[in-house]
Amino acid sequence: AKLTAGAGGQPTERDVKIATAVILLEVAGQDEDYAPEETETIFSVLESQFQLTEDEALDILETADALRKDGKIFDEIITTINSCFSIAQREKVFSMAWKVI
């Protein structure tokens, strides 16, 4: 399942990319630290799954990291992922999170 388009076939919006990045950062940050390998994996999966440049991935991650600090945002993030992605695409997001782990 590709993540470049949502379940309806529309190009993936920035909010969905940010929501995905928040999930990946949340997984990586569970030990209160981002290991270099975790950061490298996050960049790699975001770039490949969303066809982002390194600068675009950095922008998405910086925004996601800032949002992640707001504990109330996580429910909104899950809602965004659930409403925009098919089941197969959601499984892909969790597969990406597993790679980070």
Side-chain angles (χ1 to χ4, degrees):
K2 293 285 185 189
L3 301 182
T4 53
Q10 297 295 339
T12 308
E13 294 184 24
R14 188 170 189 271
D15 289 349
V16 179
K17 295 171 188 170
I18 291 169
T20 302
V22 168
I23 290 172
L24 299 178
L25 289 174
E26 187 67 21
V27 169
Q30 285 302 303
D31 56 2
E32 302 301 322
D33 187 32
Y34 299 135
E37 299 83 12
E38 291 171 329
T39 304
E40 186 177 309
T41 300
I42 292 170
F43 265 100
S44 174
V45 296
L46 286 177
E47 288 171 1
S48 66
Q49 290 301 315
F50 291 115
Q51 298 178 344
L52 300 174
T53 66
E54 190 173 326
D55 287 342
E56 290 169 331
L58 180 60
D59 178 56
I60 295 290
L61 282 172
E62 286 175 346
T63 303
D65 192 44
L67 286 173
R68 185 177 164 262
K69 293 174 180 153
D70 177 2
K72 296 177 238 170
I73 197 77
F74 206 69
D75 286 341
E76 188 176 321
I77 296 297
I78 296 300
T79 300
T80 300
I81 294 290
N82 284 337
S83 66
C84 293
F85 282 158
S86 68
I87 291 172
Q89 288 173 310
R90 289 183 293 224
E91 288 173 353
K92 186 69 166 183
V93 171
F94 289 109
S95 171
M96 293 163 59
W98 187 249
K99 285 182 183 179
V100 173
I101 294 171

